[in-house]
Amino acid sequence: MAPIELVTDELEAPALDDRSYRVIRLPNKLEALLVHDPETDKASASVNVNVGNFSDADDMPGMAHAVEHLLFMGTKKYPKENAYNQYLTAHSGYSNAYTAATETNYFFEVAASSASGSDAASDGITASPLYGALDRFAQFFIAPLFLPSTLDRELKAVDSENKKNLQSDNWRLSQLNKSLSNPKHPYHHFSTGNLQTLKDQPTKRGVKIRDRFIQFHDEHYSANRMKLVVLGREPLDELQSWVAELFAGVVNKDLPQNRWDGIQPYSDTEVMTRVFAKPVMDSRSVEIYFPYQDEENMFRTQPSRYLSHLIGHEGPGSILAYIKAKGWANGLSAGNMHICPGSAFFTISIRLTPEGLQKYGEVVKVVFEYISLLKETPPQKWIVNEVKGMAEVDFRFKQKTPASSFTSKLSSVMQKPLPREWLLSGSKLIREFDATAISQAMSCLRTDSYRLTIVSQEFPGDWDQKERWYGTEYRSEPIPLDFKDAVRRAGQSKAQERLPDLHLPSRNEFIPTRLTVDKKEIDEPMKAPRLIRNDDEVRSWWKKDDRFWVPKANVLVTLRTPLVAVTPANAVKTKLYCELVKDALVEYSYDAEIAGLEYSLASHPLGLDVDVSGYNDKMPVLLEKVLVSMRDLEVKPDRFKIIKERMLRGYRNWDFLQPYRQVGDFTRWLGSENGWINDHYLAELPHLTPEDVSSFYPQLLRQLHFEILAHGNLYKEDALRITDLVQTTLKPRALPQFQWQVRRNVVLPEGSDFTFRRVLGDPANVNNCIEYYLYVGTVADHVLRAKLLLLAQMTEEPGFDQLRTKEQLGYIVFTGARTAATTMGYRIIVQSERSTEYLEERINAFLALFGNSLDDMPLEEFEGLKKSLINKRLERIKNLDQESNRFWSHIGSEYFDFQQVERDVAHLKPLTKSDMIEFYNHYIHPTSSNRAKLSVHMVAQCSPGVIASMSASEQKEKVIALLAKFLTSLGVNADFEIFTSRFDTIDVAGGDQEGIIQAIQAYLSEDVEPSAEQRSLVVQQCKQLLGTVLPSLGIEIRAAVDGVADLPKAPAMPATKYIEDVHKYKAGLAVSAGPKPVVELSEYEDLEPKL
């Protein structure tokens, strides 16, 4: 056997990177990057295969995506279909995959050690779950089974995934661009696939679909096309031996890299066209697509970054600054869109105002005038040096990311033609200024080679076509001659002809120059910030970074005021105010943003949040500017009109979100003592005027209490100065504590069962959704919290396996804990075409089934799941932002439970199986008389229950009559009385299609007796008829589940109480106690002595 080839072990890495790296190539030509991280608590691996949906057969769109799904369903060595996920779940892990144009990426994450938390060794001696996970993972690429029993279910999962996206404008507009591209290029493909393309149509053609999937795997999955990244605690030599052993069996077929040279996504036919597209959501934009050069081999110079930096700039002199001042646009983005080796677009996307939509041609001309400015001006080295310098700073101080994110991204990067030493840095760093390369890139932005896409729900209104796969309405036509000429003149304009407002940006004063970090040796990082000021006006927290040693910081400020949450109108006025402040700061803050310093401003029920994060060098300058802008905001009527209209669209578009993204808002609303939902905000916004905001915001700022966290490369004195800056800039009166809001949640009483029903606002969405919530107790009960977390861990894999994989209820299935301000519970979310009543029944069946599984669970499995959860809870924080967010969440919760992780682990360790059985039978099991349940049903407008209001007996009579008439039309004598009697025991209104077919078969074979051939034909035609007739009468077809012999039975349940009046519902419930600190805050104090 050929030896393993060492490619390199000298990778260019960030300054603070404590990992070691090695790139190897196995004898089968599989290339692997091995990463030894002695401190990681998560191990991970990813395989990226150089094949994606561009390799789909033209007659079976979605093949690559389907193969990605099917690989998870059992291998020769591990034939059990969920063996892989069971193993990962038992070791604090998870997995996922995605299919892109030219690659399919598989990845997993698992505990780095089998020991728990502090017991885990960092020397690789403790047994690692990584080996077992790698062993199972490798088999996907060696001997997948493509189990026949899982085929239909996984194709339905693909179909469900596609249906989830049918109303998503991102998917719809992307596919429209593809469908209107060159049919000879694979960019034209429908990438996801659905049941029709992957099963129904091929089956009709006589295709053996399982054989086709196996053939696709055989033809495209080859070791030499695979890139593997493995991250673990183990030494590199050990990781190398594992990879050599486990991946040696991947067959090398010496396949060439997938390329599509000699053909482009846009031919001459597809450019110089304009496409008018109607979106689902109320949005307006103009998109410009230029055929562009492939820059994969231009990693040293990356000329498109020069173009995107200048065209996408938001400061003075930019395209956006001009068209925003004219009231035509709200935002602009630009950049290189890589398609595949050999092909790319350069895209410019502009979000338009109503006036901008009418003047989109003027907007496009401004873009081309700016492009002419760039072409006329020689490439500026100082601009490249600014971009290059910031990229070097960002890479130098790059912090760690979650293990699976790291491996998944790097395995994809390995497909690029980078020197292996630059795998970590190659796509991030610009290494050379190349004026010729930049000029060549600019030459791609031509006035005679582009496509326009204009997106609007109203304009022009005469869409005359529908896109095949998503049904997007559109109109496509050649760009008119006068428009072409205007663009040509703009693109060739000279300095004296161009708009004087357009010019290159000035030098960026926000680029950090002070990047020193005072790193000190410490025994153990502090687990909580210190309280350095605590008085009537301010509570200020601070922690000097002692983990990550980067020249960055996060300053998080809450301006506490009770005014925001008093009424929905106040909440909307506050949001309007925040949006107006941000709008006024766009040009100023953009330089800070591209120099790694950002701010955010947002409202919430407790007040306003002002956050500044990034390199700490110029942080006080940006913070002061934001505060002054808040204090001195001038509400300009023209900008108010634009911002108000944008917010109105946002509120209206909320109804068009995926149902599973909506359902949580209703669960939160029904669970809180006070609060509002989107409907309430939408009702208020149209009535608000500029005077409402200009008179309201000074009241907001007049009386406040400040809660501040300063965390990062800041000394205590810096944090105190920042605190003074906030207070002296805004100068409010102190808000006394007795005026602070007390957050409370409603308490569902034992034995209660409530259901809230909401019909979706999107008439075209076919999906229903349910959030099934079981109240457990208050978040302050640490014992109950530990049990709830363990239940979530125990049901994660079985819930997914039963409800999604086996029963195929839908693509979206979540199980786990839900915590509110003061209460917590267990929840299951399912989005599905099935009715919410049916989903509730199946959830009850699953919970009853899991109750039995818990009773029968071996003690070893129970302890393994508990250990897995403890490992998850003790997972190390990866970067400064994660730690800041954790501190801030504990501060914002008002429990100040900075030791929550340690507290959770302390309560998890003593839990026994009998403890969990008792907990489950009391709070969770469907037959428990003690449990308290709230279900939120999001019901599609096109669901059977909404379509039809006839009774079950009427539905049954109608179906039988239609079937009898249909039989007569086929030449079958239909004795109506005898035919009807065959349905006496059939639940027709319940959608028992199988029972209906059996009744028809019985009638044909026993009462009429046609020929066997005729009988088979009639039954087949009746099946097709039922697929249309039953839904049209409001009857949901009860689906058979392929590969599952019998569904677990749902226990009989008492009637639920429907919530008709939310105010009355809340008025009838008790509320919880409000949050209070788990320890006295004096324990955290580090106050300056008072003089």
Side-chain angles (χ1 to χ4, degrees), residues 841 952-953 955-956 959 982-996 999 1030 1035-1038:
E841 175 192 312
S953 59
Q955 289 172 322
K956 185 172 184 176
V959 170
R982 287 291 179 181
F983 293 87
D984 287 348
T985 60
I986 306 301
D987 184 10
V988 175
D992 185 4
Q993 184 179 27
E994 187 176 343
I996 296 170
L1030 295 181
I1035 300 172
E1036 182 181 16
I1037 298 171
R1038 191 184 301 166

Side-chain angles (χ1 to χ4, degrees), residues 227 335 382 392 492 559 705 876 963 982:
K227 307 298 180 183
W382 71 265
E392 289 166 355
Q492 296 173 358
L559 283 59
H705 178 268
R876 286 189 180 92
L963 285 170
R982 287 291 179 181

